[in-house]
Amino acid sequence: MKQCWRWFGPKDPIGLGALHEVGVEGIVTALHDLAPGAVWSSADIAKRQALLRANRFEWDVVESLIVSEAIKTQSSEMGTHLSAYKESLSNLAEAGITTVCYNFMPILDWTRTALRAPQPNGAKAMAFSLLDFAVFDRHILERKGAHEDYPAEVVEAAKERFQTLSFDQRAQLQTTIIAGLPGANEGWSLEDMRAQLATYKNITAENLRSNLIDFLSEVGPEAERLGIKLCCHPDDPPFPLLGLPRVMSSTEDYAQVLDTVDLPANGTTLCTGSLGVSTKFDAPDFVRRLGPKIHFVHLRNTKRTPSLDPERPDFFEAAHLEGDTDMVATIHALVGEEDRRKREGRSDCVIPMRPDHGQELLSDKGGHSLPGYPLIGRARGLAELRGIMAALAR
């Protein structure tokens, strides 16, 4: 696998030069300043590509070319946004960038309730608590009908916990959920959230899956023509939040969508951390079943902890080899998929991967790292993953 690294552009506190020192081979990035639904112009793409090349890197994977809410809900702006998406794909292909990651999560992107939870070894890690999310949902956002989405024990515990939080703690929880994570909607308010939720009032899981299939049926053939591989990132976490449906939370979800829009261009981003939160997920089985459609891999680990709802566990970002996902077995399956592609003569026999997320270690700590994206924590993860790959190669 090609060992890549997510970089958030010129505003990223980690300079590109440092990445050569830790053995990074390629870059995963996006034009984060452009709003969903906007065209990625050839000039903007070339500017980012030139910056990477000046630092001896190529732009290997786009993460993410965002699918707008208008496309997800099929609102009045959908046609304009679809045209912009296809134009952006064309401009990327012209620049030789052919792997594009996206997700189809409604409103919220990946979600955590703590950005820097202390760990027993002194590190800090992101975490998700269903109880804290219920506090936000019921008592800060005050979503109508929120109490119906939680067991009675969670409803009562959330009421008690909310009363113990200071004004600053409530504000921090709100910021963490709405805008605390890289790639999130930094300008959204509670009013914005409520307005967005209203657009999903009549959208069920079946509707959202159908809208995803419509999106892929529209852009997939264009991606195929351009030689671009589209790879959908799973829901994170892989269960419903805010009463909204989630449709890419399991191996079965992926199989259904990939079978329905059966194009080589239509594929998956395997994120072992996101899918691994579910007790039902088997990463090596995912590779065995859907391996030919894996275009990009996020190797990270999460560790489940008990919550008051067995279907929606709490979890934290574990060290790469210490969570619930068997990383050795997963990489073994991925290397086997690469070998199979070589035997078939496929041009994409080397799958791009990146060490996703990481705990804050040593000089990472202090609040200067982007949440989930520290230098040392990810470098440790990459070194561990590289060690597994080297051992398997022997």
Side-chain angles (χ1 to χ4, degrees):
M1 286 179 280
K2 187 168 186 179
Q3 299 166 35
C4 299
W5 186 275
R6 191 175 192 185
W7 187 66
F8 287 91
K11 295 180 181 179
D12 195 313
I14 298 172
L16 289 168
L19 303 183
H20 289 289
E21 297 180 33
V22 297
V24 172
E25 298 172 340
I27 297 296
V28 177
T29 190
L31 303 181
H32 297 285
D33 293 337
L34 298 181
V39 172
W40 287 21
S41 71
S42 296
D44 287 336
I45 293 167
K47 182 178 179 181
R48 176 59 55 83
Q49 200 169 41
L51 175 60
L52 294 175
R53 286 175 173 169
N55 286 274
R56 295 180 289 123
F57 282 116
E58 288 296 327
W59 187 348
D60 287 87
V61 179
V62 169
E63 185 180 350
S64 297
L65 182 55
I66 296 175
V67 179
S68 70
E69 294 301 314
I71 293 174
K72 293 172 190 173
T73 61
Q74 297 196 349
S75 70
S76 59
E77 293 182 299
M78 179 179 70
T80 301
H81 287 194
L82 283 171
S83 295
Y85 206 95
K86 288 189 281 189
E87 185 175 348
S88 298
L89 290 178
S90 178
N91 292 339
L92 286 165
E94 184 180 5
I97 303 164
T98 58
T99 304
V100 176
C101 176
Y102 69 97
N103 75 68
F104 219 76
M105 287 180 269
I107 302 181
L108 288 179
D109 204 306
W110 57 301
T111 305
R112 302 291 183 270
T113 57
L115 301 182
R116 295 178 170 91
Q119 301 300 299
N121 65 351
K124 294 186 177 181
M126 295 187 300
F128 177 88
S129 160
L130 184 66
L131 176 59
D132 284 345
F133 193 88
V135 168
F136 166 79
D137 193 6
R138 290 212 65 210
H139 301 285
I140 298 175
L141 181 62
E142 297 179 325
R143 179 173 64 89
K144 185 178 179 180
H147 66 282
E148 299 173 1
D149 291 340
Y150 302 95
E153 301 93 325
V154 175
V155 172
E156 185 59 32
K159 179 180 178 181
E160 294 176 5
R161 178 157 175 74
F162 176 71
Q163 293 170 347
T164 69
L165 297 179
S166 67
F167 176 84
D168 287 344
Q169 287 172 321
R170 295 172 186 179
Q172 181 59 55
L173 180 60
Q174 174 182 324
T175 298
T176 297
I177 291 173
I178 294 181
L181 301 171
N185 301 285
E186 297 180 2
W188 279 12
S189 64
L190 291 176
E191 290 70 27
D192 295 327
M193 284 284 294
R194 295 180 186 119
Q196 290 290 335
L197 282 167
T199 67
Y200 282 86
K201 182 179 179 181
N202 298 313
I203 296 180
T204 65
E206 291 72 22
N207 298 142
L208 187 62
R209 183 177 292 106
S210 177
N211 293 353
L212 170 56
I213 289 169
D214 287 346
F215 165 72
L216 289 169
S217 298
E218 179 72 24
V219 304
E222 179 67 3
E224 190 81 13
R225 184 185 71 80
L226 294 167
I228 280 183
K229 298 183 288 290
L230 297 171
C231 37
C232 188
H233 188 283
D235 303 325
D236 186 2
F239 46 71
L241 296 172
L242 297 175
L244 296 167
R246 301 277 211 180
V247 297
M248 296 301 269
S249 295
S250 67
T251 304
E252 289 69 27
D253 287 340
Y254 273 98
Q256 182 175 349
V257 171
L258 295 175
D259 287 346
T260 303
V261 185
D262 188 13
L263 294 170
N266 181 29
T268 171
T269 296
L270 168 59
C271 180
T272 56
S274 299
L275 293 167
V277 169
S278 170
T279 59
K280 301 174 183 177
F281 181 65
D282 182 332
D285 178 66
F286 185 101
V287 178
R288 287 190 290 269
R289 290 178 59 183
L290 304 176
K293 294 294 186 74
I294 295 174
H295 298 327
F296 181 35
V297 179
H298 291 178
L299 293 176
R300 68 180 176 92
N301 229 324
T302 47
K303 184 70 176 177
R304 293 182 292 272
T305 54
S307 80
L308 295 173
D309 183 350
E311 296 299 315
R312 292 184 287 181
D314 294 348
F315 63 91
F316 66 92
E317 301 281 354
H320 285 72
L321 305 188
E322 297 175 11
D324 292 310
T325 293
D326 184 338
M327 201 61 73
V328 175
T330 302
I331 294 176
H332 185 268
L334 287 166
V335 170
E337 169 60 22
E338 289 185 317
D339 288 343
R340 188 192 63 77
R341 294 183 186 190
K342 290 176 186 175
R343 291 193 298 271
E344 289 186 355
R346 281 178 53 164
S347 61
D348 61 345
C349 57
V350 178
I351 302 171
M353 58 76 72
R354 67 177 178 87
D356 195 12
H357 301 175
Q359 295 187 348
E360 292 184 358
L361 311 173
L362 304 171
S363 60
D364 287 333
K365 292 180 286 187
H368 53 272
S369 295
L370 292 176
Y373 292 94
L375 174 59
I376 297 174
R378 280 189 290 167
R380 171 190 167 178
L382 180 58
E384 292 174 338
L385 300 169
R386 183 184 296 130
I388 294 172
M389 290 185 280
L392 291 173
R394 293 289 296 272

